[in-house]
Structure formats: C-alpha cells, structure tokens
C-alpha cells in the first residue's frame, strides 16, 4: 500500500494554473511573503468567502489550514483548496482531519472531503520558523508517525509505510529543514489511516486548559506532543511487548528513535504540564485518541507519568 | 488472581466502570463507554491480559461479557469458577 497524498504543486504551478476566482488566506506571520509570491487578492479569515469563489489558497500552520478546510468545504461551490503549510508537524495539508479550536475545547472532525485538493511545499518558509517552534514541530511529526504505527487499527502494510517514513525522519536534524514538510505530510497521511494514541489524548485534553491558565507560556498542540513523546513512548515500551515486536518486525532502530525522543524531551515543559495532567487524567482516559493507543491506558497508569523515570 | 478476576478488572478499567457496576451478564447497551472506540480498547486489553489477539470481526461481534467468555473459552482460556 502506498500512502495517498494530495498532488504536490510548485509555487510556479499555482501561479500559472487557471484557478478561476481566487482568494488568498495567509497567517499574519507569513502574509507579506505570501502576497509577494502569490499575486492573488488576499482576504482575512474573518470575512465570508465570496459566493462565486473557485479557489482558496491557504498559507499557514495546521490551525489555519484546518479552518480553511471547513470554510472551503462548507461553501456552496466545490471550492478548490490549495494548502501551503508554513510549518511541518500537523500534516494538515495531507489529512482528512480538521481540528478546530473552540475556546477550551478542541473539536475534531474527520471527513475525506477535508483533504486539500493540492498541497505546495514552499521550502523558503522553513527558514522563518523560530528554532523552538521548529523543534516542537519535529516532535509533532514524530508523534503522528509513532502513534499511527503503533495503533491497533494499523495493518502491516501501513506500518511498513510509516516505518519507511520514520527511517527518513531519523536522518533529519531536529531543526529547520524543508525536508520535514514532505515527511510530515507522509506521516500524517499514514496516521489518518489508523489513529493516534495517548500522546494526542493528552495534548487534546490539556491544550485548552493550559492555554487558558497561562496564555503567555506558548502551549500548543506541537509543544504538548513534544513534551509527552518520550514519557508516552516509555510507557508503551514498558506496558507491552507490542512496540518492541513491531519495531523489530519493521526494521525500526528502536534505540535511535528513543534517542530522538530523549533529545526532544524538555523536563521544564513537562514539569509545568504535569499538574494539569494529574488533574485531568480521568478526561485523558476518556479521550477518543487515548482509547486507540497501542497499549491499553488504565487509571493507575498516571503513576508512570508522576514518577518521571523515562530512562 | 483467577481469569474471572482478571476479566472483571479489565472491564472496569477499559470502560471506566465503578467496580460495583460490573456483573458477569453485563452487555454493551448498558455501558455508555462501550462504543466503537471501546471495542478497540477492549481488543487491546484482551490481548494484553489473556494473550489472545481478536480478529476485527471477533472484536466487533463482542456485545457482552458472556460473549467474551465464550470467545476466550473457545480458545482454551478457562473461566471455570
């Protein structure tokens, strides 16, 4: 089985294509760059899409792309959606999932129609990503690949594809490198065919409360996934022989993967999220992602996270 | 611990039940958390606890505790009291 991704265009192909009536939706952090490279009328996310729209081009992180998916697919026309990620990790440009932030709650929608029609890898955008954000995006990407691989809903073929993606990821530095865009899209396309697990269950449960309680702390999905990557993978390794067996069967270098997870682990970030995890553990257990973790997550397993022995 | 005890503990932990809610005739329609995702968790838990890996068809067909006992008993896992 090959991972199915939307067709990939270059920026030049976007500019030369007959796209009809076009609007450009760009995250403020990359808006100036986008408006120079993509000479189409821009609009803000707060404005309604024009009735006669043919194509929406969205440039931004996963949150922007997900909002654009819902806007484009709710339109009366079949609006062509061209997604240009400004950051890797979410894989939103290749995924049928739309995660919408609605206050303290994250709404997760799954529908094949949410897969964008075209994706564009714009390498230059990787240069502008701040180092901390880039590192967290790498952790997000790893959490998609690992949880999709370990999911009880994954089959052998999908696991083999995701193992191939992870072998490529092991070769990449945990910093700004445009090659992350492609592996991120592939990891997410694979994960979308199985499920995610406890890392995402924790991230989805904690993100709203942490952001509300400490708005300046910079908590977001990628940072939470990165903070809990090593703790959850250690839990999975200790809780069952499944991880070790599958890693060996698919030629994954377990030691190298845990080394990467260790490099991404930030004890200070973990420590600041841990009290919220303890408080909300019963909600984490009920989260739909937790319930498809590769290893069963039980009420007593909070002790693993409180003990902080992730060696 | 007997296999009946292990099964009770597993059901309580998978479906987040109060232990007093559990009984050996429990059925999916009486448990809010016994939905499609609960079936996935249950299949993972049965593998971890009893070493039996359900097929997807078997997992979906499990609609009650007696169904689980019948399935595992047919694989040589005893629930004799």
């Amino acid at each position: 089985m090959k991972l199915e991704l939307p067709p990939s265009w270059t920026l030049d192909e976007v500019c030369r294509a007959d796209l009809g009536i076009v609007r450009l939706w760009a995250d403020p952090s990359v808006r100036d760059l986008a408006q120079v490279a993509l000479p189409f009328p821009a609009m803000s996310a707060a404005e309604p899409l024009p009735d006669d729209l043919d194509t929406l081009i969205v440039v931004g992180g996963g949150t922007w792309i997900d909002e654009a998916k819902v806007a484009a697919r709710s339109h009366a026309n079949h609006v062509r959606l061209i997604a240009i990620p400004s950051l890797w990790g979410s894989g939103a440009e290749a995924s049928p999932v739309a995660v919408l932030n609605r206050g303290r709650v994250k709404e997760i929608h799954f529908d094949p129609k949410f897969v964008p029609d075209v994706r564009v890898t714009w390498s230059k955008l990787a240069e502008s990503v701040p180092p901390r954000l880039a590192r967290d995006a790498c952790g997000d990407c790893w959490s998609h690949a690992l949880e999709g691989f370990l999911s009880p809903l994954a089959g052998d073929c999908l696991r083999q594809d995701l193992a191939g993606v992870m072998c490529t990821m092991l070769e990449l530095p945990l910093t700004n490198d445009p090659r992350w865009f492609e592996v991120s899209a592939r990891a997410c396309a694979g994960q979308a065919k199985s499920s995610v697990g406890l890392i995402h269950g924790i991230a989805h449960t904690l993100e709203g409360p942490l952001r509300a309680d400490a708005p300046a702390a910079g908590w977001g999905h990628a940072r939470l996934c990165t903070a809990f990557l090593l703790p959850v993978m250690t839990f999975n390794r200790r809780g069952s022989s499944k991880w070790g067996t599958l890693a060996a069967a698919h030629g994954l270098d377990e030691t190298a993967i845990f080394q990467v997870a260790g490099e991404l682990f930030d004890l200070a970030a973990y420590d600041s999220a841990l009290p919220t995890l303890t408080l909300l553990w019963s909600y984490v257990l009920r989260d739909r992602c937790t319930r498809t973790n590769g290893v069963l997550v039980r009420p007593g397993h909070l002790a693993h996270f409180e003990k902080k022995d992730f060696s | 611990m007997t296999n009946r005890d292990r099964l009770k503990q597993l059901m309580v932990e998978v479906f987040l039940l109060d232990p007093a809610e559990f009984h050996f005739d429990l059925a999916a329609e009486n448990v809010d958390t016994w939905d499609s995702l609960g079936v996935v968790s249950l299949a993972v838990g049965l593998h971890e606890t009893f070493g039996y890996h359900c097929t997807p068809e078997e997992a979906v067909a499990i609609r009650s505790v007696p169904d689980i006992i019948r399935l595992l008993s047919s694989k040589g896992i005893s629930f004799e009291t």
Side-chain angles (χ1 to χ4, degrees):
Chain A
M1 179 171 67
K2 288 285 164 232
L3 295 174
E4 292 165 14
L5 284 92
S8 176
W9 288 9
T10 63
L11 274 185
D12 194 41
E13 285 173 313
V14 175
C15 293
R16 283 190 286 109
D18 178 9
L19 300 175
I21 296 173
V22 183
R23 287 293 182 275
L24 174 66
W25 237 20
D27 180 327
S29 66
V30 292
R31 189 170 292 155
D32 291 347
L33 204 57
Q35 284 182 331
V36 171
L38 295 157
F40 300 104
M43 63 178 290
S44 90
E47 294 173 63
L49 299 181
D51 291 342
D52 54 355
L53 186 67
D54 295 304
T55 302
L56 178 63
I57 303 174
V58 56
V59 188
T63 304
W64 277 79
I65 295 176
D66 284 352
E67 291 285 354
K69 289 175 183 179
V70 174
R73 300 310 185 225
S74 307
H75 196 276
N77 297 344
H78 177 83
V79 171
R80 180 190 292 109
L81 181 63
I82 300 179
I84 308 178
S86 59
L87 182 62
W88 56 94
S90 79
E93 71 279 14
S95 133
V97 178
V99 182
L100 307 177
N101 289 313
R102 298 291 181 258
R104 290 172 76 100
V105 175
K106 287 184 97 87
E107 286 180 12
I108 303 175
H109 302 270
F110 181 97
D111 195 319
K113 73 183 181 187
F114 287 143
V115 179
D117 299 285
V118 173
R119 66 192 172 99
V120 176
T121 298
W122 187 0
S123 298
K124 190 176 175 53
L125 293 180
E127 295 167 14
S128 60
V129 178
R132 174 67 198 250
L133 207 55
R135 182 185 164 83
D136 289 341
C138 296
D140 193 9
C141 190
W142 270 107
S143 68
H144 282 134
L146 283 165
E147 295 209 306
F149 174 83
L150 195 56
S151 164
L153 302 177
D156 276 348
C157 294
L158 177 60
R159 289 198 173 112
Q160 199 56 47
D161 287 341
L162 284 170
V165 174
M166 286 191 274
C167 288
T168 305
M169 286 163 62
L170 281 171
E171 295 169 4
L172 302 182
L174 298 172
T175 183
N176 305 57
D177 186 316
R179 289 175 294 175
W180 278 106
F181 282 118
E182 183 62 23
V183 292
S184 168
R186 298 180 71 76
C188 207
Q191 166 269 310
K193 288 185 177 298
S194 54
S195 68
V196 279
L198 179 56
I199 299 171
H200 281 80
I202 292 172
H204 293 155
T205 306
L206 269 56
E207 184 180 343
L210 283 171
R211 287 172 82 117
D213 294 344
W219 285 113
H221 178 78
R223 183 157 300 173
L224 277 158
C225 285
T226 303
F228 284 91
L229 178 66
L230 178 67
V232 171
M233 284 309 295
T234 313
F235 164 76
N236 287 334
R237 183 170 61 178
R238 289 186 192 155
S240 158
S241 58
K242 181 177 179 179
W243 156 253
T245 304
L246 288 174
H250 292 279
L252 281 175
D253 184 341
E254 193 180 352
T255 306
I257 289 173
F258 271 84
Q259 192 174 332
V260 168
E263 284 175 39
L264 288 166
F265 184 62
D266 176 346
L267 181 60
Y270 181 80
D271 276 343
S272 60
L274 185 57
T276 310
L277 178 73
T278 302
L279 193 67
L280 300 180
W281 182 245
S282 62
Y283 293 91
V284 171
L285 292 172
R286 286 173 169 77
D287 184 272
R288 57 197 285 190
C289 299
T290 303
R291 295 168 75 204
T292 57
N293 192 57
V295 174
L296 183 63
V297 187
R298 302 173 191 244
H301 286 150
L302 177 62
H304 167 84
F305 296 94
E306 292 179 325
K307 221 186 279 176
K308 292 196 278 188
D309 171 15
F310 307 132
S311 55
Chain B
M1 191 184 253
T2 67
N3 280 341
R4 286 173 73 85
D5 295 334
R6 288 191 188 94
L7 180 57
K8 176 181 177 180
Q9 185 176 341
L10 177 65
M11 296 298 290
V12 165
E13 294 187 332
V14 165
F15 296 116
L16 305 170
L17 304 172
D18 183 313
E21 290 177 87
F22 177 84
H23 52 89
F24 280 92
D25 292 323
L26 195 66
E29 59 262 29
N30 305 121
V31 180
D32 291 343
T33 46
W34 196 328
D35 52 15
S36 56
L37 295 178
V39 169
V40 176
S41 298
L42 178 61
V44 172
L46 289 174
H47 186 222
E48 289 179 14
T49 307
F50 297 104
Y52 179 67
H53 198 145
C54 304
T55 65
E57 294 75 20
E58 286 171 335
V60 170
I62 294 172
R63 301 303 298 157
S64 67
V65 173
D67 286 346
I68 297 171
I69 292 175
R70 260 192 301 277
L71 173 67
L72 296 183
S73 298
S74 74
K75 307 299 172 187
I77 299 165
S78 171
F79 286 86
E80 298 289 313
T81 48

